[in-house]
Amino acid sequence: MTEQQQGPGPEGPEEARRRRAGVAAFVVGMVGTLAFFAFFPGLPHVIDWGAILVALVVGGLARWGCRVWVTRGR
């Protein structure tokens, strides 16, 4: 039997590289923001829903910026 592939054709090495870089940037941005809210002196050292939402937004912006930077380098 032949295997049928789902979705579009296989992604190229450039797309895989952009995807890995985007995921890494998102994780670094999110963890960095949560670490800032958890350990920065003067803040209440509490991770609440606001901090989680800000961390997700910062992670998304980091991912977007990284993907733009990697694409521009091509």
Side-chain angles (χ1 to χ4, degrees), residues 12-72:
E14 284 294 319
E15 180 61 31
R17 180 173 166 241
R18 278 195 304 263
R19 184 177 308 242
R20 281 193 310 269
V23 168
F26 179 81
V27 169
V28 168
M30 191 177 80
V31 170
T33 304
L34 287 175
F36 173 80
F37 280 118
F39 299 115
F40 193 80
L43 291 176
H45 305 314
V46 174
I47 302 296
D48 60 354
W49 285 108
I52 292 171
L53 291 177
V54 169
L56 290 173
V57 168
V58 169
L61 288 173
R63 178 182 180 271
W64 173 78
C66 181
R67 285 183 62 99
V68 167
W69 182 57
V70 169
T71 302
R72 187 178 296 165

